[in-house]
Amino acid sequence: TSLLLMAGIVVAVGLCRRLTRRRLRSHPRLCTFLLEMFSTFQICACTNELCLLGNAEPKPHTGLTLTYGFTVLHGLTLPGSTCNPCGTLQPMWGGGTSVKMGGLKIGAQFVAAVLARVFMHFLWRLEMAEPHSGALSQGCGNPMQTTEMQAFCIELLFSVVFQLTVLRVESINPKYRVHLIALLITMLVYAGGNLTGAIFNPALAFSLHPNCFYDKFWSYSLVYWIAPSLGKFLIFYVF
């Protein structure tokens, strides 16, 4: 049921993106906002559902396989979208994107993060699958299973590794590049998923753990917002 639900989200987002491109060509800003919002919504909604399947047996093979498969699916179905505020910062600082357009995309990403969380909560109330029954009562899942400083360093390191890899594989055929990036993300999730969740995406982190940001805003913003953004700036200035 969960797999069918995520497949339905991917199909619905694909239709919305296609309709947006056709109907809003004469409104580039609105078109850009909606495309980025729909794309980020797909990633956040599917990842919220994937988190419920992380404890499925056999562990961790099921969770890692689904992570790899859906990362490839996102890469193939969402071309041209960053879905990550850190990825939007690079063209802004490099001069390839105006500050207004970059801010518009980042705003769309966080709007999508909130909408995805609200939408998934609505679906979880319907209890269409067994994991949904206890999802609403979890509150903050405490994704940080280590000290705040160690969590900060882990997210910073993972962000640097991810962003550097993305830069290095830009010249590779997109069909193969998607699999390389998916493999890297799966490896990072395996390496640090039990410590911080290995998110390195501020919008996705906010969608997955809104209650944690409410309870301990400064701690979680330091680890899941500032650390990946700092990693992006390090890559930008060094390379």
Side-chain angles (χ1 to χ4, degrees):
T1 303
S2 291
L3 293 178
L4 290 175
L5 174 61
M6 289 186 285
I9 292 173
V10 172
V11 172
V13 168
L15 293 175
C16 290
R17 281 169 54 88
R18 187 174 183 180
L19 183 63
T20 299
R21 285 196 180 98
R22 285 187 175 182
R23 300 294 185 180
L24 298 176
R25 290 181 178 178
S26 58
H27 303 279
R29 289 189 177 181
L30 180 59
C31 182
T32 299
F33 180 88
L34 291 177
L35 288 176
E36 194 67 32
M37 186 186 73
F38 288 137
S39 301
T40 308
F41 177 88
Q42 174 178 314
I43 290 179
C44 291
C46 289
T47 307
N48 269 280
E49 186 70 16
L50 277 176
C51 287
L52 299 183
L53 304 178
N55 294 324
E57 296 292 342
K59 295 189 297 184
H61 305 85
T62 300
L64 294 175
T65 301
L66 291 173
T67 298
Y68 175 82
F70 274 91
T71 302
V72 172
L73 183 61
H74 294 325
L76 294 175
T77 58
L78 303 175
S81 298
T82 58
C83 307
N84 187 338
C86 296
T88 307
L89 291 175
Q90 180 182 350
M92 287 177 60
W93 283 89
T97 301
S98 66
V99 176
K100 288 185 178 180
M101 187 60 71
L104 187 71
K105 289 185 177 182
I106 293 176
Q109 291 158 0
F110 277 98
V111 168
V114 174
L115 291 178
R117 186 67 176 184
V118 172
F119 177 73
M120 295 310 297
H121 268 225
F122 170 76
L123 293 181
W124 291 343
R125 288 190 182 96
L126 301 179
E127 297 187 359
M128 295 184 294
E130 182 179 351
H132 294 175
S133 58
L136 295 175
S137 59
Q138 289 180 354
C140 177
N142 295 319
M144 282 195 294
Q145 297 299 315
T146 182
T147 64
E148 183 177 311
M149 183 55 63
Q150 288 179 337
F152 177 86
C153 294
I154 289 172
E155 288 293 312
L156 174 63
L157 175 62
F158 284 4
S159 177
V160 169
V161 172
F162 176 74
Q163 300 295 343
L164 180 59
T165 303
V166 170
L167 291 177
R168 293 298 185 183
V169 300
E170 282 184 345
S171 59
I172 299 178
N173 188 307
K175 294 182 179 180
Y176 304 114
R177 183 169 65 234
V178 168
H179 290 277
L180 289 175
I181 293 177
L183 179 61
L184 172 66
I185 291 177
T186 305
M187 292 172 61
L188 293 178
V189 170
Y190 177 73
N194 62 324
L195 297 176
T196 65
I199 302 174
F200 47 89
N201 182 332
L204 178 59
F206 187 67
S207 182
L208 294 177
H209 308 293
N211 294 322
C212 298
F213 280 92
Y214 178 78
D215 295 339
K216 300 179 180 180
F217 176 79
W218 293 113
S219 296
Y220 278 81
S221 61
L222 177 67
V223 173
Y224 294 104
W225 289 357
I226 297 177
S229 300
L230 180 59
K232 186 63 182 180
F233 287 132
L234 290 176
I235 291 297
F236 179 77
Y237 283 114
V238 174
F239 295 95

